[in-house]
Amino acid sequence: QLEAIFDKTAEKLEKFGPRDLATTALAFAKIANAVGDMKERHHRGSYAELLNNVLVDKREIIFQFIADTSIPNFAKFDARYLANLAYAYALIGYVPKFDDGLTLFDHVAERSIPLLGKFNSQGLSNTVWAFEKAGASHPILFEKIANLIVGLKQLDDFDPQSFSNILIAYAKAEVSHPALFEKVADHIVALDHLGEFNRQNLANTVWSFEKAGVSHPRLFEKIAGHVV
């Protein structure tokens, strides 16, 4: 059935708009990512094995096809669909390349930079997470996103997962921006409590500050107090 769905999708793909292209990529990526984690995929004849053969083993064909169709329509992609598209390709672990020598992530960055003011908190978080996860270095995009966040009056729209994704992306990508870390730390310290932060959020936060070489004793004291 999935093969039939993909074949039908492929027939209509050239008529897809930005929302449909981004949604299709994200849907296939999430399914393939889930299937890749299934132990049952090694069992001959299982559903997991069949899904693995369709979506995981053939992912480069599928996702290159979607990328090739998306590029001519990039001028129509808005902030949300750019973030979703980057997230999908990072999730699947595939970076399409084109004849012009650029990758899909190069094109996403070029299109995203003028639109950064229209990205919501989750879009900013997913974008930097995706670029780092895919190993797609783009210092200019990271610098502009960090500057945008630092310039915000408040960070109430960001949830703990967004903070975690942003901090760990900058730390792992080794993009230095102490002002960003300071801004996020000051916001977290000012919170009444850290009840909405799960253990992974807290661990990623302190790890990111250590990895980035940014000292913020009040943040560490706040998190330590919560843990205790």
Side-chain angles (χ1 to χ4, degrees), residues 65-221:
F65 189 39
I66 294 174
D68 288 339
T69 308
S70 298
I71 290 301
N73 294 286
F74 248 40
K76 299 178 182 178
F77 274 71
D78 64 13
R80 177 183 177 184
Y81 303 133
L82 287 168
N84 286 349
L85 193 67
Y87 188 86
Y89 279 84
L91 202 60
I92 197 65
Y94 178 58
V95 181
K97 297 179 180 179
F98 306 103
D99 293 338
D100 59 6
L102 300 178
T103 70
L104 177 68
F105 283 84
D106 292 325
H107 285 283
V108 169
E110 182 180 341
R111 173 63 181 159
S112 296
I113 288 172
L115 300 176
L116 287 181
K118 297 182 179 180
F119 277 69
N120 61 22
S121 57
Q122 185 177 7
L124 294 171
S125 167
N126 286 349
T127 298
V128 294
W129 178 90
F131 271 74
E132 188 284 319
K133 182 72 173 178
S137 175
H138 204 289
I140 295 175
L141 176 65
F142 271 58
E143 179 75 15
K144 289 188 177 295
I145 288 178
N147 290 342
L148 174 66
I149 295 172
V150 170
L152 295 174
K153 291 183 179 180
Q154 47 81 20
L155 302 182
D156 293 340
D157 291 337
F158 292 79
D159 61 20
Q161 188 62 52
S162 294
F163 287 133
S164 176
N165 286 350
I166 290 169
L167 294 173
I168 207 166
Y170 278 81
K172 284 187 173 182
E174 298 183 349
V175 177
S176 178
H177 203 294
L180 170 66
F181 280 74
E182 186 79 16
K183 179 85 173 186
V184 173
D186 289 344
H187 174 82
I188 294 174
V189 169
L191 295 174
D192 293 334
H193 59 81
L194 302 183
E196 295 183 2
F197 285 72
N198 62 32
R199 288 175 291 178
Q200 192 67 57
N201 299 150
L202 297 171
N204 286 347
T205 297
V206 295
W207 181 90
S208 297
F209 272 79
E210 190 280 329
K211 174 69 174 176
V214 179
S215 176
H216 201 291
R218 290 187 299 127
L219 173 68
F220 273 58
E221 183 177 355

Side-chain angles (χ1 to χ4, degrees), residues 32 54-64 92-94:
V54 173
L55 289 174
V56 179
D57 291 347
K58 299 177 182 178
R59 65 182 179 177
E60 291 189 12
I61 297 174
I62 294 172
F63 285 90
Q64 185 70 50
I92 197 65
Y94 178 58

